[in-house]
Amino acid sequence: MQELLPEENTLPKSYYQAKKILCPMGMEYQKIHACPNDCILYRHEFEEISKFPRCGVSRYKVKDDEDYSSDENSKKGPPTKVLWYLPIIPRFKCLFANEDDAKDLTWHANRRNSDGMVRHLEED
């Protein structure tokens, strides 16, 4: 993903760097396993299965020397694809925790002139 963005991007280069940023701020996240073909997310009723019945691809990475059809081997190892779910409510709480920031964030709804012109935030 890093290579697709411009050089001056601030996207963390690794899982460790992202975790170092999120954890001290109290930002919670959930890691949800996903099908490598983007068929499903392994949650709710699919949380316990190791292979999706429709596409038949294993949920977990399989080593080259292991048999793909073996259920014993398919429940070991890291997942092939992981989705990071970042709940929005805690992020809104952080954004609106500071009174001055909250005023700026609600400016368009509360204090904007509605004359059809697009403007920058007006200072009081």
Side-chain angles (χ1 to χ4, degrees):
M1 188 68 172
Q2 191 80 17
E3 295 143 8
L4 299 174
L5 299 172
E7 290 181 23
E8 63 274 356
N9 76 75
T10 58
L11 184 72
K13 293 181 176 139
S14 68
Y15 167 76
Y16 175 74
Q17 288 177 345
K19 193 172 179 180
K20 260 178 60 174
I21 293 168
L22 290 174
C23 289
M25 294 174 24
M27 296 291 185
E28 59 188 58
Y29 61 91
Q30 297 172 3
K31 294 190 301 183
I32 303 169
H33 297 182
C35 176
N37 296 330
D38 299 321
C39 299
I40 61 161
L41 297 176
Y42 290 100
R43 57 188 299 221
H44 302 304
E45 68 269 13
F46 301 114
E47 195 163 359
E48 298 300 320
I49 64 174
S50 61
K51 187 187 300 185
F52 186 55
R54 188 181 319 154
C55 67
V57 177
S58 175
R59 173 181 183 169
Y60 300 99
K61 291 181 182 177
V62 180
K63 294 180 183 174
D64 292 335
D65 59 342
E66 292 178 348
D67 183 16
Y68 284 97
S69 61
S70 173
D71 287 335
E72 183 179 307
N73 291 333
S74 64
K75 293 186 181 184
K76 297 178 182 178
T80 54
K81 194 173 199 177
V82 177
L83 166 84
W84 279 36
Y85 172 64
L86 306 169
I88 194 74
I89 301 299
R91 280 153 183 73
F92 279 143
K93 285 181 180 178
C94 286
L95 284 172
F96 285 91
N98 183 332
E99 187 177 341
D100 293 331
D101 290 342
K103 284 181 186 176
D104 292 342
L105 290 167
T106 59
W107 178 84
H108 279 87
N110 298 333
R111 299 192 316 253
R112 181 176 65 146
N113 292 337
S114 298
D115 59 0
M117 301 294 286
V118 177
R119 292 186 176 81
H120 289 284
L121 180 85
E122 295 175 4
E123 297 295 327
D124 291 333

